[in-house]
Amino acid sequence: MSSYWEGQTVMVTGGAGFLGSHLVEELEARSDTVDVFVPRSNEYDLRERTDIRRAFTQSGADVVVHLAATVGGIGANRENPGRYFYDNAIMGIELLEMARQFDVDKFTILGTICSYPNHTEVPFSEDDLFDGYPEETNAPYGIAKKALLTQSRAYRKQYDFNSIYLMPVNLYGPRDDFDLHSAHVIPAIIRKCIEARERGDDSITAWGTGEPTREFLYVKDAARGILDATERYDRSNPVNLGSGAEISIRALIERIADMTDFEGDIKWDTSKPDGQPRRRLDTSRAKEYFDWTAQTDFEDGLRRTIDWYEAVRTDYPAGGPRADA
């Protein structure tokens, strides 16, 4: 339990989605009296100022945690650069401005490590965020999100408005998006391996060369970090949230294949992009500013994710759930 949330009304955009559903659970576990308001996309279009104003009027929110995003894996990013830029920029800009107008006490912005320059010294330090252009595939989404950091700093300077900016690394865990058109690498490969295993296929196909590295953060650790920061951190300096562990895409896929009992080959489609060459975060700022570190072992997190998917996938005609942001 945390006294910070007692009697507070908290608007969680994207609260019905993958990360959001875990964050709402963690939030409700921290207080018996917190009132959580989730503006669902079928009722509130958060790209529209009138809908955003209605959400603030109806909720009376004291705190906003902005998780809602239009996002997908590398293929979806290539197919939707304009949509991903506009949707994410306009949602964040309008929500932050409306929160200022409604005198919200605290606004937590979820950024993305896609905002980092394509070639960033590893581990990624928050001080390097503006030192170059993002990887081309991720740039529209990454720049849209990075613009919100500039807005956050400007609003603190001019209006003394309290907003913070967090950048989680790639998330994974139960309730992830397993739709192959939009899924990130972990859920996509889990689904491919399980379906290939059941069909008796002798191979699956993965994108790129397998050489790039990635870092992954278990979704419940991310939810805890976001709420810890909202409780304890009150500056506009960006903060990384990550596990600090790096793994190549090739090693990751081989591990998932082993854990899902898929015994076939992995074929690499090198005509598809690799994305950013390396990703690993410096997470010391999160420890220093609000005493947060990741706690979930990667192998344990993968096992929980695979077991969850195996248990629920038969409920979905397309083979797996899609996150509802």
Side-chain angles (χ1 to χ4, degrees):
M1 293 290 176
S2 170
S3 61
Y4 176 87
W5 305 101
E6 294 300 311
Q8 298 270 45
T9 297
V10 183
M11 181 190 298
V12 182
T13 72
F18 168 45
L19 171 58
S21 64
H22 289 278
L23 183 135
V24 168
E25 287 179 355
E26 172 70 15
L27 180 53
E28 291 175 338
R30 294 190 180 202
S31 172
D32 291 330
T33 63
V34 67
D35 180 18
V36 181
F37 173 76
V38 176
R40 299 297 296 266
S41 58
N42 61 346
E43 299 177 22
Y44 303 90
D45 184 343
L46 296 182
R47 299 167 300 179
E48 297 293 335
R49 180 173 291 187
T50 54
D51 282 12
I52 295 172
R53 182 180 294 278
R54 182 163 56 88
F56 278 100
T57 299
Q58 293 178 350
S59 68
D62 303 298
V63 177
V64 176
V65 181
H66 176 40
L67 309 181
T70 303
V71 65
I74 193 167
N77 277 326
R78 287 210 309 174
E79 293 170 3
N80 299 281
R83 178 188 172 206
Y84 282 12
F85 178 84
Y86 177 81
D87 283 4
N88 290 293
I90 203 70
M91 270 196 292
I93 289 168
E94 293 287 4
L95 278 161
L96 193 55
E97 168 62 13
M98 199 63 66
R100 181 191 70 81
Q101 292 183 23
F102 275 80
D103 294 321
V104 167
D105 294 330
K106 185 76 169 281
F107 194 108
T108 297
I109 306 164
L110 209 66
T112 174
I113 61 160
C114 293
S115 299
Y116 274 103
N118 188 27
H119 297 284
T120 303
E121 184 176 347
V122 176
F124 292 9
S125 166
E126 295 92 342
D127 293 334
D128 298 331
L129 188 58
F130 287 91
D131 286 352
Y133 194 75
E135 189 275 326
E136 191 69 34
T137 307
N138 296 315
Y141 174 62
I143 291 173
K145 283 289 192 177
K146 187 155 57 174
L148 304 182
L149 172 58
T150 300
Q151 187 180 10
S152 171
R153 286 170 161 169
Y155 278 32
R156 185 178 293 276
K157 182 176 181 179
Q158 182 170 352
Y159 306 120
D160 197 28
F161 183 77
N162 188 11
S163 60
I164 63 173
Y165 188 90
L166 309 174
M167 295 183 292
V169 77
N170 301 62
L171 304 181
Y172 74 102
R175 305 179 209 151
D176 205 340
D177 180 358
F178 284 79
D179 185 320
L180 293 180
H181 295 291
S182 53
H184 289 91
V185 60
I186 287 180
I189 296 302
I190 289 173
R191 177 173 172 179
K192 283 185 176 184
C193 285
I194 290 173
E195 292 183 353
R197 179 196 72 198
E198 294 193 338
R199 290 192 301 263
D201 294 348
D202 58 8
S203 67
I204 62 167
T205 300
W207 279 26
T209 65
E211 298 306 314
T213 66
R214 293 293 181 264
E215 175 182 343
F216 298 95
L217 178 63
Y218 191 62
V219 64
K220 290 187 180 296
D221 285 342
R224 180 173 52 84
I226 293 163
L227 295 181
D228 286 354
T230 305
E231 290 181 21
R232 306 172 198 161
Y233 179 56
D234 292 305
R235 298 166 64 184
S236 286
N237 291 340
V239 182
N240 290 330
L241 297 179
S243 63
E246 186 179 11
I247 185 172
S248 73
I249 295 298
R250 184 178 298 274
L252 170 68
I253 293 177
E254 289 172 352
R255 184 176 299 187
I256 291 173
D258 180 64
M259 295 178 72
T260 56
D261 298 320
F262 172 67
E263 298 179 352
D265 296 329
I266 299 166
K267 295 183 177 179
W268 296 93
D269 183 354
T270 57
S271 69
K272 297 296 193 296
D274 270 335
Q276 196 167 28
R278 291 183 67 187
R279 284 184 186 171
R280 180 164 62 85
L281 302 186
D282 178 350
T283 59
S284 59
R285 190 177 282 187
K287 176 64 176 176
E288 176 187 352
Y289 287 173
F290 45 91
D291 195 29
W292 175 88
T293 56
Q295 296 178 348
T296 304
D297 175 78
F298 187 48
E299 193 90 6
D300 290 343
L302 278 180
R303 173 49 59 198
R304 295 177 202 173
T305 306
I306 292 166
D307 289 349
W308 176 85
Y309 180 67
E310 291 265 34
V312 305
R313 65 193 177 90
T314 56
D315 295 335
Y316 297 87
R322 178 170 181 164
D324 177 14

